[in-house]
Amino acid sequence: MWKTSFTTLIVGVFVVYVLHTCWVMYGIVYTKPCENPKFENCLKPYLAGKTRLQLSIYTALRPNADGGHTLIHKEEDFDVESKFERIVNVSLPKKTRKNGTLYAMVFVHQAGISPWQDPRQVHLVTQLTTYMIPKALEVSLISGEETTTGGDSAVDRPVSHWRSRLTLNVVSEDFVFDRDFLPSDVHRYLKVFQNGKKMVYLPLLFVDELSNRVKDLMEINSTSIELPLTISYDTISLGKLRFWIHMQDAVYSLQQFGFTEKDADEIKGIFVDTNLYLLALTFFVAAFHLLFDFLAFKNDISFWKQKKSMVGMSSKAVLWRCFSTIVIFMYLFDEQTSLLVLIPAGIGSLIEVWKVKKAFKIQIIWKGVRPTFIFGKSDESERRTEEYDTLAMKYLSYLLYPMCIGGAVYALVFLRYKR
């Protein structure tokens, strides 16, 4: 009765969690508009006036442009509704080539006026460089040929890498905000000025940091005089902008808690590489998968906790599963896989070790700091099961050993390993 009540409680908490998540997502996507545009509380869009705009992008060694800035690209007749992609070559200052940083300053301002002199300009500053451990060199055991891989090298000192993509967005819809219901996430991107009796907000400019992927990074060295930068622009809806702001803040928070650029990149891929509707469906599928995993985990623990005999069960299969799980965990650890994958694999390995202890009836007695292992005895039924188990493993080995040898030969010839 207690188990049923516990399961019901877990399912109830899960349902509440899903409903709460749906409510939070609705609050992010939906923004209450100003019901009467004539009210003083309404903030009207600057883009509704169809003013000629210009997009200018500068580079600087400091985010406040102290020490000078360089113009790398401009769109003199910037149409907010027209998407584009430009590739420009950016000259790197000497300080940046010596493991330094470089910033991009993106301005949307009135055409024909310098952004530094336009009081109605909006701008954002973003880093064009990031620090990451260099990719490791791997070598073929047969030919000795070296190649660069996606794994981290043995050098622990992070070096400066070039972000080869700069993705920009502007909210193109003529949305009228109500100052009493202004979303806090949009507030920091909002710049308002008085135009007669009306309050007008300037274009909502956004730099999409989620599009900066590890695969697009290029290592900067002393010979990197110029590097290419792909500038992409597209419009964005207000709902998607708010959702993207929350996701960027979440990724930034994870990085503050110790997530590396590689860990954060896997999370970015979930949002960038997936359609939003498919992402919502994936969320529900993943949530139910998590629930079923938890229930299966609980039942598995309960089953082995109550198991007193190995009659009808293969102890060798339990042992081999424990061995393979530990090998997989050690491989993931060596590859410095994301903690999102490494932690569940480590927990699974501990559970498999516990199962081996139960299957072989192992008792651990500590004599000071030295452990002593005592194996329990099997009864007649368990010994009969072991005989069948040994016979089955014998026939299985006829298939297993050639596959292991073939896999080892293939890995020796075609795969490369870290130095």
Side-chain angles (χ1 to χ4, degrees):
M1 184 65 184
W2 182 85
K3 292 181 180 178
T4 304
S5 301
F6 180 74
T7 303
T8 304
L9 177 64
I10 293 300
V11 173
V13 170
F14 169 78
V15 172
V16 172
Y17 166 74
V18 172
L19 293 177
H20 178 264
T21 302
C22 293
W23 175 254
V24 171
M25 294 302 298
Y26 174 76
I28 292 175
V29 174
Y30 175 76
T31 305
K32 184 177 180 181
C34 192
E35 296 178 354
N36 190 344
K38 296 183 180 180
F39 285 171
E40 295 181 356
N41 275 353
C42 295
L43 301 178
K44 298 184 178 180
Y46 180 73
L47 294 176
K50 306 300 180 183
T51 306
R52 287 186 64 244
L53 299 175
Q54 180 175 320
L55 174 70
S56 301
I57 303 175
Y58 296 82
T59 58
L61 290 172
R62 297 182 180 178
N64 55 7
D66 286 350
H69 53 271
T70 304
L71 178 67
I72 60 171
H73 182 72
K74 65 179 179 179
E75 294 282 331
E76 295 184 348
D77 193 8
F78 178 50
D79 183 7
V80 175
E81 299 288 348
S82 301
K83 61 184 298 186
F84 65 81
E85 184 171 288
R86 307 279 188 266
I87 299 178
V88 298
N89 290 322
V90 181
S91 298
L92 301 185
K94 188 175 181 180
K95 289 185 178 180
T96 303
R97 298 199 300 269
K98 291 184 176 181
N99 209 28
T101 58
L102 191 66
Y103 294 88
M105 309 185 70
V106 184
F107 290 86
V108 174
H109 55 98
Q110 298 180 70
I113 302 177
S114 170
W116 308 98
Q117 300 173 351
D118 186 4
R120 295 180 180 177
Q121 53 84 15
V122 290
H123 77 279
L124 290 176
V125 179
T126 184
Q127 276 190 241
L128 291 177
T129 57
T130 186
Y131 287 94
M132 195 175 70
I133 296 176
K135 295 180 179 179
L137 287 177
E138 290 189 348
V139 61
S140 171
L141 298 180
I142 300 296
S143 63
E145 179 185 358
E146 294 182 347
T147 56
T148 303
T149 68
D152 293 340
S153 69
V155 180
D156 293 332
R157 185 176 64 88
V159 299
S160 186
H161 283 67
W162 177 252
R163 289 177 171 174
S164 60
R165 296 193 64 87
L166 178 62
T167 305
L168 310 174
N169 302 110
V170 171
V171 177
S172 59
E173 56 187 282
D174 294 336
F175 189 87
V176 181
F177 287 101
D178 189 330
R179 280 197 295 180
D180 293 335
F181 299 95
L182 189 64
S184 58
D185 43 38
V186 178
H187 188 271
R188 63 186 182 216
Y189 292 91
L190 209 62
K191 188 176 179 181
V192 182
F193 69 94
Q194 187 83 32
N195 186 12
K197 295 183 178 181
K198 297 185 298 182
M199 296 294 293
V200 180
Y201 68 91
L202 292 170
L204 289 172
L205 175 64
F206 179 69
V207 177
D208 187 1
E209 300 281 355
L210 294 178
S211 297
N212 293 327
R213 306 297 303 279
V214 169
K215 63 183 179 181
D216 298 323
L217 294 179
M218 304 170 63
E219 185 177 343
I220 299 175
N221 51 50
S222 58
T223 61
S224 304
I225 306 300
E226 280 190 349
L227 287 176
L229 177 66
T230 302
I231 302 171
S232 301
Y233 169 78
D234 198 0
T235 59
I236 189 173
S237 64
L238 180 60
K240 185 176 180 180
L241 171 68
R242 295 187 59 195
F243 179 76
W244 241 231
I245 291 174
H246 281 271
M247 293 306 103
Q248 278 193 182
D249 290 347
V251 171
Y252 177 77
S253 298
L254 291 175
Q255 290 176 320
Q256 299 305 305
F257 278 107
F259 274 57
T260 64
E261 188 80 23
K262 187 177 180 181
D263 295 331
D265 184 72
E266 295 182 7
I267 301 175
K268 291 178 182 179
I270 297 175
F271 303 104
V272 176
D273 299 337
T274 309
N275 180 275
L276 286 180
Y277 296 104
L278 183 60
L279 180 62
L281 177 62
T282 304
F283 164 76
F284 284 105
V285 172
F288 279 100
H289 187 272
L290 180 64
L291 174 65
F292 296 146
D293 271 351
F294 175 81
L295 296 176
F297 170 78
K298 182 183 76 70
N299 291 334
D300 194 26
I301 294 293
S302 300
F303 172 79
W304 280 95
K305 191 175 182 180
Q306 299 172 3
K307 191 70 175 173
K308 303 299 181 181
S309 173
M310 286 297 293
V311 175
M313 298 189 65
S314 172
S315 57
K316 290 184 176 62
V318 176
L319 182 61
W320 277 107
R321 180 170 179 176
C322 176
F323 172 76
S324 60
T325 304
I326 293 175
V327 169
I328 292 173
F329 170 73
M330 293 176 65
Y331 172 78
L332 295 175
F333 181 80
D334 181 65
E335 291 292 318
Q336 298 183 357
T337 307
S338 168
L339 295 176
L340 299 174
V341 178
L342 191 62
I343 292 177
I347 296 174
S349 299
L350 294 177
I351 294 173
E352 293 301 326
V353 171
W354 174 73
K355 287 182 181 180
V356 170
K357 178 180 176 295
K358 293 285 292 183
F360 289 90
K361 301 178 182 179
I362 302 174
Q363 293 183 353
I364 304 176
I365 300 176
W366 291 89
K367 296 180 179 180
V369 294
R370 188 180 65 179
T372 302
F373 298 93
I374 300 177
F375 292 83
K377 295 182 179 180
S378 302
D379 57 27
E380 184 63 30
S381 300
E382 289 178 326
R383 283 194 292 269
R384 193 177 302 123
T385 299
E386 290 178 2
E387 292 176 1
Y388 291 124
D389 188 17
T390 303
L391 183 62
M393 292 298 293
K394 175 183 177 181
Y395 290 121
L396 182 62
S397 65
Y398 296 154
L399 176 64
L400 184 62
Y401 290 157
M403 292 180 63
C404 290
I405 295 173
V409 172
Y410 175 86
L412 179 65
V413 175
F414 294 101
L415 300 185
R416 289 172 168 79
Y417 300 89
K418 292 182 181 179
R419 295 178 60 90

